[in-house]
Amino acid sequence: MVLATAGGLALAVGAGVAAAQDQGQVEVLHWWTSGGEAAALNVLKEDLESKGIAWEDMPVAGGGGEQAMTVLRARVTAGNPPTAVQMLGYDIRDWAEQGVVADLSETAKAEGWGEVVPEALQFFSTYDGQWIAAPVNVHSTNWIWASKQIFDELGLSEPTSWDELIATLDKIQEAGHVALAHGGQDWQDATIFDAVVNSTGGIEFYKAALIDLDPEALGSDTMKEVFDRMAKLRTYVDDNFSGRDWNLATAMVIEGQAGMQMMGDWAKGEFINAGQTPGEDFLCFRHPGTQGTVTFNTDQFVMFQVGEEQRPAQIELAKSIMEPEFQASFNIVKGSVPARTDVSDEAFDACGKKGVADLAEANADATLYGSLAHGHAAPASVKNAIYDVVTAHFNGEYDSETAVEELVNAVAAAQ
Ligand code: BGC
């Protein structure tokens, strides 16, 4: 009896493995290595495995994906690209231009992607009229994540203006906590910069400076104020901030050591992964002065040109990513919102529902713009040039006036 059961089990397991191999395999390059990110990735992995497709994981740590893009370049140069690659904004267009990505148009047409993916996202999923990427989510960078415990302890409420934000940070610091949890890495500094440009000058200023790269906006007094504000925020981070990974900064808020973190909504994935609940354990609100606007980034999976034998599994991966049910279950865990307009927000938590509503509002009001920090405002050359200035200033190498001059010059040189 026992033996028969064990044999039956062994058979079932064996059959499962055989089926997985039968449907092919995908090799996926990504930078989802934090606890929350890995949990979200697992939703995709398991979905594919249930369809009989084996998953070969190729993680390359580093938020914003810089390191992942370096590894990708080496793989493509060696003539051995992965099946699919997590990618952001202008990087997708750059790779498409090089003629090495696969065409998904037939699948996109059959599945009606064009009707449900917002235009702002399609700008990055299509190139020369062809679909080349499957968007899995929409994140945004103008969020603040706060410790409910510290806010309750100090009787604080959500700040709605710059002055209130500063008063709140002061109170947290005076009480002996780290006021602002931050990791000193260029892309994290730039993530705060996105929000501060938006809150200081408004979303039209954000567009003029970081999307249109208008030299007047880049060199303006408003931009000087942006840098002054960045310098002010720098006074609220702890001494050990340099080089810290973003998820370790989130952990400081989760553990009640720090009052807040200014970070995209992938941070929510960390709170959820730690078993926390919005409104009970942590708070999510928009960076003061940016409510009604969204600076977004969308993770898209770009398919590379692979051998014919790998093609069916690649197409199945793209189709699975775009399934409405999958987009709901994945994004609930990831902290982002679906890349399709026809997915119900019913199963999302309070922050997720807010994310869905804010995105719809910003899309309708034309206050939805790509994040500079996460590659959706300008090509990598410009993005990296801005990173350098923002980080040098944040670390005290330039005063605000010099930073403005450097910004204008660096952007001009990078174009
Ligand atoms: C990606 C997110 C990721 C974050 C931190 C962003 O650029 O869009 O999916 O969680 O980087 O790694």
Side-chain angles (χ1 to χ4, degrees), residues 31-34 37 62-65 86 88 137 139 187 246 263 266-267 297-299 334 373-374 376:
W31 64 93
W32 285 336
T33 55
S34 77
E37 291 174 330
Q86 175 198 359
L88 296 174
N137 65 9
H139 274 302
W187 72 271
W246 67 273
M263 188 44 65
W266 44 92
N297 59 302
T298 153
D299 290 303
K334 184 69 174 65
H374 295 268
H376 286 71

Side-chain angles (χ1 to χ4, degrees), residues 138-142 198 203 206 286 290-297 355 358-363 367-371:
V138 189
H139 274 302
S140 52
T141 54
N142 53 322
N198 183 0
I203 196 71
Y206 178 94
R286 292 290 174 180
T290 72
Q291 181 61 50
T293 73
V294 167
T295 46
F296 78 97
N297 59 302
D358 286 354
L359 178 65
E361 185 191 345
N363 197 20
T367 53
L368 172 68
Y369 289 109
S371 152

